[in-house]
Amino acid sequence: MDHILDQQVFASVIARNTRTRIGPIEGPLVTQNHQSTAGISARRGRRLAPLAAAAAVIAVAATGCTTGGGTGPGAAAAGQISTDTIRTVLSADPTSFAPVEVRNADDYAANRLLFSTLVRRDENNKIVSDLASKWDITPTQGTFTIRGGATCSDGTPITAGVVAESLKVFAAPDSKSSFRPLVLGDGPATVTADDAAGTVTVKLAQPWTDLLQGMSLHATGIVCPAGLKDPKALTTGDVAGAFSGPYTLSKKQHGVAYTFALRDDYETWPAYETKIEGTPAKTIEASVNANASAISNELLTGTKDIANIRGKDTTRFDGNKDFSTQVIPQGSLYMMFNERPGHPFTDPALRRALAQALNVTAFNQAASGGLGEIYSSFAHPGVPCSNKDTGLLIKTDPAAAQKALAGVKIRMVGAQIFGPNGAANTYVAEALRAAGADIELRNVDLATWSTDLTQKLDTWDVTVMGGINAGGTMYGALSTVIGTPVEKGGLNWGGLENQPVLDLVSKAMTQTDDAERCGTYQEAQKIMIGEAHVIPLASLPSQVTIRSGFAMHTMNGQPDESTMRITK
């Protein structure tokens, strides 16, 4: 399990650390009773939803099962493989165990073990059953039939009423969840239950075809009555009966480790069509460690079984038959501009020139040692409707860049997490300097970066943005660069509302036909990329690394910790 708070720039993570909430969530087309329905729409002047957890949280989307290879001398030397325990890693303490408060990858990892959602996303973004056995979706309403036999960790049956009360907390106007607008839109939503029919109905104030997709997000996890009665204890993970998922939190030691225990009575696993081989671990031990070299050592010496690592340490497993590896996109990297009045990049010619000054291959080398995937959109390739037409990209042209940028004063703020000591930011700054720009670069820690970009709006002109798209929707990808600016309570860091794109999003949210919706989103991407409001760059990759005898699935480029299994 990999927490990217210290390495990702992802709007939703940061948002919570500042007054602005931003998150990582972009989303795919979803299936409603086998009819795809996903998309995104935004109303004029509405508040954009966070992504992130960002927007947020993640090169080409990898799907499928990652299973440890055969046993070999390395595995034998490492020591015993437990028959009932999986040892994994969190890179930081979860910030909250309450689903509505999740905002980063470690929160997501714990959440998947502890809470069930109405539906889940299988490979290729296909929606499958979790707590809901079937559903009926329109652009303004969703009715979900709750499957029988599901129980809370204290034995309470999970009825339609239980589900509705949990979703009411998520849907409330004062919801703590930065994901609410991504799931329900910005208007009011009502949640009702019919216990006799076993159904829960969610009614929306505006068309929002991302509703079904949204109900797979971690933030919509169903909290049982005991947890709703004690929100503070729920946040800290101290309500034993709060959990609707396969595991309970049996032990926690802040900064050290968290232990999850498999429920003996749990039988309502998500109905993935992807075959999940192996046996669920009776115990999952997750230590807290952000050091990729140390984690790699633990994997190689047999003291860890599954971990997500990043950077040069990923190469230590090349050719090692005792491990399986899968590269997944941890985030999407792109250039984002401050387009508020008085800043240089309100001029489209200067934005275009900046794109012409950059060599994306060189940027990728600086950001990840060349391990990332070069992108043709600000949304990663696994997001439905993500642009695949490289003809939209502005081509490198240093001579043209020089003509426009010579003498232009540019203030760049970069997060040090992009490449060693912010090497990706340094590359961009040097490319602009070579084009004659008067560039000032500040490479800062993540907290300073997020604060400056969202609160000190007059101190920066351009940045490398990193977006995690936990929900896999196009709107998730757009939400930090269109709509209501952060200073007005929205999620848009760049400041330009961009009404033509908002209008296209609104249109897409009414379209239930996949091809029509993708056509609309393609028009939105033509504007964003063609007018250089964003400059797509590359993925920030990480590697799911699994020791022999164990397995875990990644769905649509995101690991699903509830699928960790013992296969030996």
Side-chain angles (χ1 to χ4, degrees):
M1 301 179 213
D2 182 52
H3 166 86
I4 33 193
L5 179 62
D6 56 348
Q7 296 182 325
Q8 78 188 23
V9 196
F10 309 130
S12 71
V13 178
I14 307 159
R16 290 275 189 177
N17 294 330
T18 65
R19 185 176 178 279
T20 306
R21 293 187 294 174
I22 302 173
I25 314 178
E26 312 159 16
L29 311 176
V30 297
T31 307
Q32 31 182 20
N33 287 342
H34 302 296
Q35 175 187 6
S36 285
T37 61
I40 249 173
S41 88
R43 298 173 307 161
R44 296 178 183 266
R46 73 193 221 165
R47 187 175 173 186
L48 290 187
L51 289 210
V57 69
I58 304 195
V60 173
T63 59
C65 180
T66 304
T67 307
T71 56
Q80 306 106 354
I81 294 178
S82 172
T83 57
D84 64 1
T85 299
I86 291 176
R87 298 159 299 177
T88 187
V89 180
L90 296 168
S91 65
D93 295 288
T95 61
S96 175
F97 291 96
V100 295
E101 295 174 348
V102 297
R103 57 183 180 268
N104 60 52
D106 292 314
D107 294 353
Y108 303 156
N111 176 284
R112 274 296 182 236
L113 297 173
L114 299 173
F115 296 98
S116 296
T117 50
L118 287 179
V119 295
R120 298 289 276 273
R121 280 193 303 154
D122 205 336
E123 292 183 12
N124 299 315
N125 294 302
K126 183 174 183 179
I127 298 299
V128 297
S129 298
D130 194 351
L131 286 176
S133 59
K134 60 182 180 178
W135 43 88
D136 182 20
I137 304 293
T138 72
T140 58
Q141 178 175 305
T143 298
F144 300 86
T145 301
I146 307 306
R147 66 195 288 189
T151 61
C152 298
S153 50
D154 62 0
T156 301
I158 298 180
T159 62
V162 167
V163 171
E165 289 307 305
S166 179
L167 290 178
K168 285 178 183 178
V169 174
F170 173 79
D174 60 349
S175 173
K176 292 182 179 181
S177 179
S178 59
F179 291 88
R180 185 202 181 279
L182 293 176
V183 178
L184 304 173
D186 286 325
T190 60
V191 182
T192 57
D194 183 337
D195 274 323
T199 59
V200 173
T201 298
V202 180
K203 293 184 179 181
L204 308 176
Q206 72 289 308
W208 200 254
T209 52
D210 277 353
L211 172 63
L212 181 59
Q213 175 79 23
M215 286 299 169
S216 70
L217 295 184
H218 307 77
T220 66
I222 301 305
V223 178
C224 290
L228 296 179
K229 290 178 182 177
D230 195 345
K232 289 185 178 179
L234 174 66
T235 293
T236 58
D238 293 319
V239 184
F243 310 119
S244 58
Y247 288 85
T248 61
L249 181 61
S250 59
K251 184 179 179 181
K252 59 189 176 83
Q253 200 172 357
H254 188 81
V256 179
Y258 295 81
T259 302
F260 302 86
L262 181 67
R263 291 172 49 190
D264 292 335
D265 63 341
Y266 189 80
E267 297 180 353
T268 49
W269 295 90
Y272 285 127
E273 293 182 4
T274 303
K275 188 175 182 181
I276 311 292
E277 296 183 354
T279 303
K282 290 185 178 180
T283 303
I284 295 176
E285 298 174 351
S287 62
V288 178
N289 190 346
N291 187 301
S293 294
I295 295 169
S296 298
N297 290 340
E298 291 181 309
L299 286 164
L300 290 166
T301 58
T303 56
K304 287 292 181 285
D305 306 311
I306 300 175
N308 201 346
I309 56 178
R310 189 181 299 115
K312 60 182 177 59
D313 286 284
T314 60
T315 62
R316 297 171 63 183
F317 299 89
D318 291 351
N320 190 329
K321 66 180 181 180
D322 297 319
F323 291 88
S324 64
T325 61
Q326 184 170 11
V327 176
I328 61 173
Q330 195 73 48
S332 301
L333 301 179
Y334 55 91
M335 299 304 301
M336 184 180 75
F337 301 97
N338 188 341
E339 296 191 55
R340 297 171 177 86
H343 292 263
F345 292 110
T346 55
D347 183 347
L350 293 183
R351 297 196 303 270
R352 182 176 183 86
L354 189 147
Q356 291 171 326
L358 301 182
N359 180 301
V360 179
T361 300
F363 173 89
N364 188 37
Q365 185 65 36
S368 66
L371 298 175
E373 192 83 11
I374 291 175
Y375 280 177
S376 56
S377 178
F378 47 91
H380 72 72
V383 174
C385 308
S386 177
N387 174 58
K388 305 300 189 296
D389 180 7
T390 58
L392 292 186
L393 303 177
I394 297 170
K395 292 180 172 57
T396 301
D397 188 341
Q402 274 191 322
K403 291 179 182 178
L405 292 173
V408 177
K409 185 174 181 179
I410 299 171
R411 295 165 300 172
M412 180 176 177
V413 180
Q416 293 169 340
I417 62 175
F418 297 130
N421 299 313
N425 308 313
T426 301
Y427 163 74
V428 172
E430 291 307 313
L432 296 179
R433 185 169 288 113
D438 180 5
I439 179 76
E440 172 193 321
L441 169 63
R442 289 188 294 119
N443 254 330
V444 297
D445 62 75
L446 187 63
T448 301
W449 175 86
S450 63
T451 299
D452 285 0
L453 266 63
T454 59
Q455 298 181 21
K456 300 180 181 180
L457 305 178
D458 290 329
T459 66
W460 68 280
D461 301 312
V462 67
T463 191
V464 175
M465 171 58 82
I468 291 180
N469 193 347
T473 65
M474 182 57 66
Y475 178 58
L478 284 164
S479 65
T480 55
V481 288
I482 64 170
T484 306
V486 291
E487 62 269 29
K488 295 181 181 180
L491 298 168
N492 176 2
W493 292 28
L496 179 69
E497 293 198 16
N498 208 327
Q499 194 61 51
V501 177
L502 287 173
D503 291 342
L504 288 168
V505 169
S506 296
K507 179 181 178 181
M509 269 305 180
T510 68
Q511 295 172 313
T512 57
D513 180 80
D514 295 355
E516 290 181 359
R517 183 172 49 253
C518 283
T520 300
Y521 277 133
Q522 187 67 10
E523 290 302 312
Q525 290 172 95
K526 284 181 181 178
I527 294 173
M528 296 302 296
I529 297 170
E531 297 181 4
H533 296 294
V534 294
I535 301 171
L537 295 169
S539 67
L540 185 66
S542 65
Q543 178 177 283
V544 178
T545 308
I546 300 180
R547 200 159 64 86
S548 174
F550 301 90
M552 180 173 69
H553 279 253
T554 60
M555 309 289 187
N556 311 297
Q558 296 176 338
D560 182 344
E561 288 75 13
S562 72
T563 67
M564 289 192 291
R565 297 289 188 269
I566 299 169
T567 60
K568 78 179 190 72

